Amino acid sequence: AGVAAGAMAFSMVGCGSSKDNSKNGGKEKFIVGFDAAFPPYGYQDENGEYVGFDLDLAAEVCKRNDWELVKQPIDWNAKDMELNSGTISCIWNGFTMNGREDEYAWTEPYVDNSQVFVVKEDSGIATFDDLAGKSVAVQTDSSAEAALKEDDNKNLKDSFKELVVVSDYNTAFMNLDSNAAEAIAMDIGVAKYQMESRDGKYKILDDVLSAEQYAVGFAKNNTELRDKVQKTLDEMREDGKFAEIAEKWDLTDSVID
């Protein structure tokens, strides 16, 4: 009953806080659902803090709307349940809109991204043809997994020895380092971050698996909140704050102007 009541309050005010809380001087809550192992967009750092590009954007949006930001790590497989039940306000974490256009109320895309393959530098793998007979790791329910299920990539996927589905990219790189996998299919922004933060020597194949764009996803009927966030993001672009946050996370080349 308590969960149901919370969901009702969420639907009434858009950001998840109760009307009584607002009257008592409390701020409306903006609850961001994110994968806590998806750097540089959202992750837990060495101090146990949740940080990242998307979380910084969300924090600025909340500041400008006088909302309280709640960073809510979620099981990526349960993201739709969390959103539709009202326990989160949106999904904001390197969330690909391509192929999902009709499933959510989206903001305008703000990052251009591609799906690529990461291999060891000394692997001898240079092209898609070299992946034949190899074990390839991919995160469950990720854009890379979805891309590999597309008809255009059927022959490529069928050429693998196996597709190893893992829960997160830390596990994927552990598999790569231990030779349990010989390549990882993943987002290029995450790939670059992971490669820079690890001691191993890796490279990204030149061939691109698929291109995509990131946006913020809301429940289909929550266009009012989506519009408020979009308006704020537009203001952040105009006054330079969006570019400042992108530069902090070394994502200037990826963001959409």
Side-chain angles (χ1 to χ4, degrees):
V3 173
M8 288 178 62
F10 171 89
S11 64
M12 290 171 64
V13 300
C15 287
S17 64
S18 69
K19 288 187 176 180
D20 288 342
N21 185 46
S22 298
K23 289 179 180 178
N24 291 333
K27 295 183 178 181
E28 291 186 355
K29 292 181 179 180
F30 184 68
I31 309 171
V32 172
F34 69 103
D35 177 354
F38 199 70
Y41 297 94
Y43 64 102
Q44 190 170 30
D45 67 12
E46 62 274 9
N47 298 317
E49 299 293 327
Y50 294 122
V51 299
F53 173 58
D54 284 345
L55 295 179
D56 277 0
L57 290 178
E60 183 65 20
V61 167
C62 287
K63 178 181 176 181
R64 295 181 182 216
N65 287 282
D66 198 28
W67 296 337
E68 177 188 348
L69 173 61
V70 179
K71 303 174 184 179
Q72 182 60 57
I74 58 174
D75 179 345
W76 200 243
N77 286 328
K79 60 185 180 298
D80 292 337
M81 180 188 71
E82 298 274 10
L83 186 64
N84 293 326
S85 68
T87 56
I88 59 176
S89 305
C90 65
I91 303 169
W92 196 340
N93 190 208
F95 192 25
T96 301
M97 67 181 299
N98 307 77
R100 301 184 176 115
E101 288 89 347
D102 297 329
E103 298 176 21
Y104 305 88
W106 294 99
T107 62
E108 294 175 5
Y110 62 94
V111 164
D112 274 323
N113 192 57
S114 298
Q115 298 301 318
V116 297
F117 290 95
V118 175
V119 299
K120 290 182 178 179
E121 276 190 353
D122 59 0
S123 66
I125 300 172
T127 67
F128 281 2
D129 290 342
D130 297 329
L131 293 170
K134 303 296 194 297
S135 296
V136 178
V138 67
Q139 185 187 33
T140 183
D141 199 32
S142 65
S143 298
E145 183 183 25
L148 287 168
K149 291 180 178 178
E150 294 176 356
D151 290 342
D152 290 346
N153 295 314
K154 183 179 186 302
N155 291 338
L156 174 63
K157 178 175 175 290
D158 289 347
S159 75
F160 301 159
K161 175 184 177 181
E162 60 181 342
L163 187 64
V164 182
V165 180
V166 298
S167 60
D168 56 68
Y169 288 117
N170 288 329
T171 303
F173 272 90
M174 288 174 61
N175 286 356
L176 187 62
D177 292 339
S178 66
N179 298 317
E182 292 149 291
I184 307 171
M186 61 191 303
D187 300 62
I188 190 169
V190 181
K192 289 179 177 179
Y193 180 90
Q194 291 281 1
M195 290 165 61
E196 291 174 0
S197 63
R198 293 174 182 275
D199 294 332
K201 295 182 178 180
Y202 313 98
K203 66 179 181 180
I204 297 173
L205 299 190
D206 291 335
D207 294 336
V208 173
L209 177 60
S210 69
E212 63 185 26
Q213 295 178 319
Y214 289 163
V216 187
F218 298 80
K220 288 186 70 172
N221 63 352
N222 202 359
T223 55
E224 182 179 355
L225 181 58
R226 185 274 312 275
D227 291 346
K228 289 180 180 178
V229 171
Q230 182 62 60
K231 180 176 182 293
T232 309
L233 288 172
D234 291 343
E235 293 169 353
M236 290 164 58
R237 289 182 185 282
E238 292 173 5
D239 63 31
K241 188 63 177 182
F242 192 101
E244 178 186 322
I245 295 173
E247 183 178 5
K248 171 185 174 182
W249 292 101
D250 197 25
L251 289 169
T252 300
D253 293 339
S254 298
V255 298
I256 299 172
D257 296 328

